[in-house]
């Protein structure tokens, strides 16, 4: 597993505003969108490409295009939806699947309630997007889903991660997959309720309200 913490002043600035409890939902959504686009730039650095010949107004040349099959972007509902536009902006040709997972607040384990993924992901590069890598349970479940369907490579894009979640991913995934985790920051720890400290609160609630 490769962990990439994006070290960029704009990333740090936008993340600081997201952490501020006084930041209203409309601003929070806008900043998540902008921040994800910056993270997506780093997350797609190793994406597969192939030569492609085009004719310019001057001559013919061999350029580059994304290889087939196209990448698949999978937001983990509901908070991951707030990251979808930021990813799609850089990967407009990617297909989109949806995976609904919710954390049981007593056991902290992920429970699946929705699955809209292709049955066959053979050879696909899958980008899992979820704002918070806390305990790691949700992301582990999502990784298992796509690996079982034949995904070639998995990249997880998160705003924040906790050391406990990173450790769980390393232990669970091991050598079974080519996994990259891209985050804006790794925070101190989890508290007794399994929230990231200092964190930014419940990302889903801050994006969409408490309904």
């Amino acid at each position: 597993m490769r962990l990439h913490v994006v070290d960029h002043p704009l990333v740090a600035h936008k993340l600081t505003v997201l952490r501020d409890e006084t930041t209203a939902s409309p601003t929070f959504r806008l900043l998540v969108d902008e921040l994800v686009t910056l993270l997506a730039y780093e997350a797609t650095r190793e994406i597969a490409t192939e030569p492609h010949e085009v004719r310019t107004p001057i001559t013919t040349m061999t350029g580059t295009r994304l290889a087939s099959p196209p990448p698949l972007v999978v937001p983990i509902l509901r908070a991951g939806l707030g990251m979808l536009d930021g990813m799609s902006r850089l990967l407009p040709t990617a297909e989109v699947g949806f995976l609904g997972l919710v954390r049981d607040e007593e056991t902290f384990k992920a429970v699946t309630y929705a699955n809209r993924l292709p049955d066959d992901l053979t050879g696909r590069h899958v980008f899992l997007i979820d704002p918070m890598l806390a305990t790691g349970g949700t992301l582990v479940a999502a990784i298992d889903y796509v690996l079982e369907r034949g995904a070639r490579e998995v990249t997880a894009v998160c705003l924040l991660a906790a050391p406990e979640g990173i450790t769980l991913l390393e232990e669970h995934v091991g050598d079974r997959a080519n996994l990259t985790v891209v985050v804006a920051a790794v925070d101190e720890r989890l508290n007794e309720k399994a929230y990231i400290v200092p964190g930014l609160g419940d990302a889903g609630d801050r994006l969409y309200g408490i309904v």
Side-chain angles (χ1 to χ4, degrees), residues 7-37:
D7 181 16
H8 192 285
L10 286 180
V11 170
H13 165 72
K14 294 178 188 298
L15 181 57
T16 299
V17 181
L18 287 177
R19 292 185 190 275
D20 189 337
E21 67 178 0
T22 66
T23 298
S25 287
T27 303
F28 193 92
R29 287 192 294 269
L30 176 63
L31 287 172
V32 167
D33 181 73
E34 294 175 351
L35 182 53
V36 171
T37 300

Side-chain angles (χ1 to χ4, degrees), residues 161-173:
E164 295 91 334
I166 293 170
T167 298
L168 181 66
L169 285 185
E170 291 173 334
E171 294 174 348
H172 182 82
V173 175

Side-chain angles (χ1 to χ4, degrees), residues 181-200:
V181 179
V182 178
V183 299
V186 176
D187 275 8
E188 298 173 9
R189 59 183 173 83
L190 297 178
N191 65 14
E192 65 281 357
K193 294 183 178 180
Y195 279 90
I196 298 175
V197 179
L200 50 76

